[in-house]
Amino acid sequence: MNKKTVRSAPAQPGRRKLVGAAAALGAWALTPAMMRNAQAQGDDLAPYRSAKINWRQAEGESIAVAVIPASYFDNLATLLPQFEALTGIKVRVEKVPPGQIRQKATLDLSSKTATYATHAADPMYYPLYVANKWVDPLDRYLTDPALTDPAWFRYDDILKAWRDADSVDGKPYGIPYDGEVTVQVYRKDLYAAKGLKPADTYDELLSNAKALTDAPNRQYGLALRGFAGAGQNMYIYPSLLRGFGGSWFAGKNVTVNTPEAVQALQWYVDALGNYASPAVRNWNWPDIADAFSQGNLACYIDAHSSAAVLNNPEKSKVIGKIAYARWPKGPSGKRVTSIWNWGFPINAALSERAKKATWLFISWAASAETQARTSWKFAGPAKRSGINRTSLWRSPEFASAMQGMGDNFIPAALESLEQDTDVDWRPRVPQWPAIGDTMATAIQAALTGQKKPKEALDEAQNRIQQILKG
């Protein structure tokens, strides 16, 4: 236990601190409404002060944090005045689009410029970061009683799937803040009219899709991401591969053209070719969610967080007609969901004092209290569905906040997170950025009919061998 005297921040952040935080956010300046929201929620810092650590041990330090433009980070930004009042640490947040944040973070880490103390990290990039010692292992922060009160922070309460995704060789290198899991989303009214149930197997998924496809009337039975990208079609294909019993490795070698891989890609091609809109080959998840919300789609499999789009009263025509289920089983008998989270690592190039400040920010953001304040306790309309803790997923308050999302929303997502996750659903190797892009190109070539699945995967295998040699 830390024997240092715990210093207390002022009881209330006050308007001056709120305005100061707004200035520190730069382009992400807080609006008056956001400041009032932070003030309303921020007067009581007692839940944080109950942690047996000195929150002000890095007082006066300033750190920069890069995140993507997303409501779940917007919610966190509104609470920064609370963090600054608690710790005396200044935080500057920079919004970086998803397509750029990986490149900017990698450049910053590799050049050791320490521009960003932490950033919203792609879990597939941790092997690259760790191989180059660009980020710190976080076990030393978690086990340091001066920095972490384990009974208060409860690291093991964070969803295991996301903890594992942000770990390498059993050591944590990032702390999950927000995440998602892929689930089966379907129109319960259309299914009921045909006497259908949500699919339990890949075969049933296709059977349901066939029954509900009426292409002349622009009604389609199924959609999966088809757009080329390591986080697009390569967000869906790995689950299909694992469902067919495939693996990314033959021994220690990354191997992508096995018989199971060819079968999985052929299934993907046939499913979209027969039961999806012809445009789906270039669809990302927002396009799929839009088609579903407009009533043109009976079922899709994608991130549980897309439920917020489907229930937007200003745009959706299917509110009250939505239900959820887990990924169906593949021929191997396995259900393998795609998993994702944005986690926070610590830049190894920082000074020790800046590292302490960064850890205090990360542990504050990932704490159960902040997770609740950015979800059901949040005064704005965006109630986060990607909270990071098992206990919060099971809480009645979260259930109440998610009640309007549709039937079986929390059970389907939570059961998938706890039972269907496979941390190796994609090849977790330092060369992932190049491998992911190579596979995405091969998959799209097959989906668009430019190449047969085996031909596309054989060519990808040749390129990947060259990548691994380099």
Side-chain angles (χ1 to χ4, degrees):
M1 178 177 171
N2 182 15
K3 295 183 179 179
K4 293 183 180 180
T5 302
V6 177
R7 298 176 59 186
S8 298
Q12 298 183 2
R15 181 170 178 78
R16 182 174 298 176
K17 287 186 179 291
L18 291 169
V19 173
L25 282 167
W28 206 340
L30 302 175
T31 66
M34 292 162 73
M35 289 194 290
R36 286 194 298 272
N37 178 44
Q39 178 78 58
Q41 297 184 68
D43 289 347
D44 181 14
L45 297 178
Y48 301 102
R49 293 192 181 120
S50 67
K52 295 180 174 63
I53 61 168
N54 177 8
W55 281 105
R56 302 188 74 84
Q57 60 189 284
E59 184 173 5
E61 196 68 37
S62 296
I63 61 173
V65 178
V67 299
I68 66 165
S71 63
Y72 40 82
F73 285 124
D74 290 345
N75 294 10
L76 184 67
T78 68
L79 303 187
L80 282 177
Q82 299 176 25
F83 175 74
E84 295 193 352
L86 179 69
T87 64
I89 298 166
K90 296 293 182 183
V91 181
R92 179 177 64 83
V93 175
E94 182 177 331
K95 281 185 174 182
V96 183
Q100 300 174 22
I101 196 166
R102 297 165 181 83
Q103 288 72 25
K104 291 191 75 168
T106 300
L107 178 61
D108 181 44
L109 292 170
S110 62
S111 63
K112 302 187 187 304
T113 51
T115 301
Y116 303 120
T118 187
H119 67 281
D122 182 331
M124 288 300 297
Y125 274 59
Y126 286 112
L128 173 65
Y129 294 171
V130 172
N132 290 283
K133 298 182 179 180
W134 291 341
V135 296
D136 276 3
L138 299 183
D139 50 343
R140 74 180 181 95
Y141 297 88
L142 285 163
T143 58
D144 184 344
L147 291 170
T148 303
D149 176 354
W152 181 85
F153 186 64
R154 297 177 61 207
Y155 174 65
D156 288 349
D157 185 39
I158 295 175
L159 290 158
K160 184 178 185 300
W162 295 350
R163 282 187 281 125
D164 289 349
D166 292 0
S167 299
V168 176
D169 295 329
K171 278 192 174 184
Y173 286 89
I175 302 295
Y177 168 73
D178 190 276
E180 62 189 36
V181 62
T182 43
V183 292
Q184 192 179 165
V185 187
Y186 65 98
R187 283 277 302 278
K188 62 180 182 180
D189 58 326
L190 298 181
Y191 272 51
K194 293 278 187 176
L196 303 175
K197 295 180 179 179
D200 192 54
T201 66
Y202 286 9
D203 287 345
E204 289 177 7
L205 187 66
L206 296 186
S207 177
N208 287 350
K210 181 178 180 180
L212 291 166
T213 296
D214 182 4
N217 290 309
R218 297 182 61 218
Q219 178 71 46
Y220 299 98
L222 182 64
L224 301 165
R225 298 187 195 192
F227 186 71
Q232 307 306 331
N233 54 22
M234 260 297 277
Y235 180 78
I236 295 297
Y237 170 76
S239 294
L240 299 174
L241 170 67
R242 301 292 277 173
F244 271 89
S247 171
W248 291 106
F249 294 91
K252 295 183 178 180
N253 301 315
V254 175
T255 305
V256 302
N257 60 346
T258 60
E260 294 86 357
V262 174
Q263 290 169 9
L265 185 51
Q266 186 65 61
W267 188 96
Y268 198 179
V269 169
D270 293 343
L272 296 191
N274 292 327
Y275 309 119
S277 164
V280 78
R281 296 165 183 82
N282 288 307
W283 280 4
N284 194 349
W285 77 262
D287 306 298
I288 295 174
D290 184 59
F292 189 92
S293 67
Q294 293 307 301
N296 302 124
L297 184 58
C299 177
Y300 70 92
I301 296 177
D302 214 292
H304 84 284
S305 54
S306 65
V309 176
L310 309 183
N311 287 281
N312 182 341
E314 296 180 359
K315 298 180 179 180
S316 179
K317 299 177 181 178
V318 298
I319 294 174
K321 303 175 182 179
I322 309 166
Y324 307 85
R326 291 156 63 186
W327 259 96
K329 298 173 187 173
S332 69
K334 291 181 66 174
R335 306 177 196 269
V336 183
T337 177
S338 316
I339 56 171
W340 180 264
N341 75 84
W342 290 110
F344 288 126
I346 292 181
N347 190 330
L350 297 172
S351 69
E352 284 303 311
R353 183 174 171 81
K355 288 181 180 181
K356 286 183 179 180
T358 305
W359 175 253
L360 291 173
F361 167 77
I362 292 172
S363 57
W364 168 80
S367 70
E369 182 63 28
T370 302
Q371 292 286 306
R373 290 187 184 195
T374 53
S375 183
W376 67 83
K377 290 185 179 181
F378 192 69
K383 310 296 186 186
R384 284 180 54 216
S385 65
I387 54 176
N388 69 3
R389 292 174 175 271
T390 301
S391 62
L392 301 187
W393 271 87
R394 297 186 184 282
S395 69
E397 296 87 353
F398 185 60
S400 178
M402 297 295 111
Q403 192 170 17
M405 292 297 185
D407 293 2
N408 203 42
F409 178 69
I410 289 179
L414 188 56
E415 287 170 15
S416 296
L417 280 165
E418 294 184 332
Q419 300 179 42
D420 305 338
T421 55
D422 180 347
V423 73
D424 294 314
W425 67 291
R426 294 192 291 193
R428 286 159 40 92
V429 294
Q431 299 87 352
W432 160 254
I435 289 174
D437 288 341
T438 297
M439 283 298 297
T441 300
I443 292 166
Q444 193 181 50
L447 291 177
T448 57
Q450 297 174 29
K451 294 174 183 174
K452 297 294 184 183
K454 188 173 189 313
E455 177 190 6
L457 292 176
D458 284 345
E459 290 185 8
Q461 182 65 43
N462 290 334
R463 292 196 186 97
I464 289 169
Q465 286 176 335
Q466 295 304 312
I467 290 168
L468 294 173
K469 287 179 182 177

